[in-house]
Amino acid sequence: MNEERKIAVEEVASVETPPKARVDDASPAETFERKRDYLAGFLAQKPEPLAGGEPGGELYEAIIASLKEIYDPEIPVNIYDLGLIYGVEVTDDGHAAVTMTLTTPHCPVAESMPAEVELRVGSVPGVAIADVNLVWDPPWDPHKMSDEAKLELGML
């Protein structure tokens, strides 16, 4: 089973240089035309206008801006960047529903914070009805904070 392998070595004086490709060697049938750019139509399209209640829409962003004006009394960070807002939904007829939590169920503003959020969101032009849903699941933790909030609190 122990076969000996040998590699054959051949010595040569020189190696012939391969021919170089030349443009004038190409036949006229092989000339290439520029193909129509398949992205031209896509790139020329204008983005569809966002509905006001969609993320990025005017009304939605106004609601987010109003939420960023509400600060937690114990932590110098607004409730949106703190991660207390779990969701904002806005219907076409101006009904805004905000799902939020608090840092703990024993938070000293547990009774007043949801009312303040409802008042601020309800005062945004274009919002007809504002509802606040206070939830405890999933519980809030510091990982829900934005990078700006972590920077403000020295956690980055």
Side-chain angles (χ1 to χ4, degrees), residues 1 29 76 146 149:
M1 286 264 164
S146 70

Side-chain angles (χ1 to χ4, degrees), residues 19-151:
K20 293 186 178 180
R22 302 266 181 222
V23 174
D24 52 341
D25 292 344
S27 66
E30 292 179 2
T31 58
F32 296 100
E33 291 182 27
R34 178 171 163 83
K35 302 276 191 280
R36 188 173 97 88
D37 191 357
Y38 66 95
L39 287 177
F42 174 76
L43 295 174
Q45 270 184 339
K46 299 291 182 216
E48 292 182 23
L50 291 171
E54 293 180 29
E58 193 175 314
L59 182 57
Y60 181 90
E61 295 304 322
I63 292 171
I64 298 301
S66 73
L67 293 171
K68 287 185 175 185
E69 294 175 356
I70 305 170
Y71 283 79
D72 186 289
E74 297 174 324
I75 305 170
V77 176
N78 69 66
I79 63 171
Y80 188 82
D81 288 334
L82 198 54
L84 298 179
I85 305 299
Y86 286 173
V88 175
E89 295 177 20
V90 185
T91 63
D92 291 336
D93 60 348
H95 182 203
V98 177
T99 303
M100 68 173 292
T101 192
L102 298 172
T103 52
T104 68
H106 307 293
C107 182
V109 292
E111 290 183 25
S112 62
M113 183 69 74
E116 183 177 355
V117 169
E118 187 174 334
L119 184 67
R120 291 279 183 107
V121 171
S123 68
V124 172
V127 173
I129 302 169
D131 288 327
V132 175
N133 302 315
L134 188 61
V135 297
W136 302 107
D137 189 38
W140 179 87
D141 65 59
H143 290 87
K144 295 185 181 346
M145 292 192 298
S146 70
D147 288 343
E148 291 84 7
K150 290 177 184 176
L151 184 63

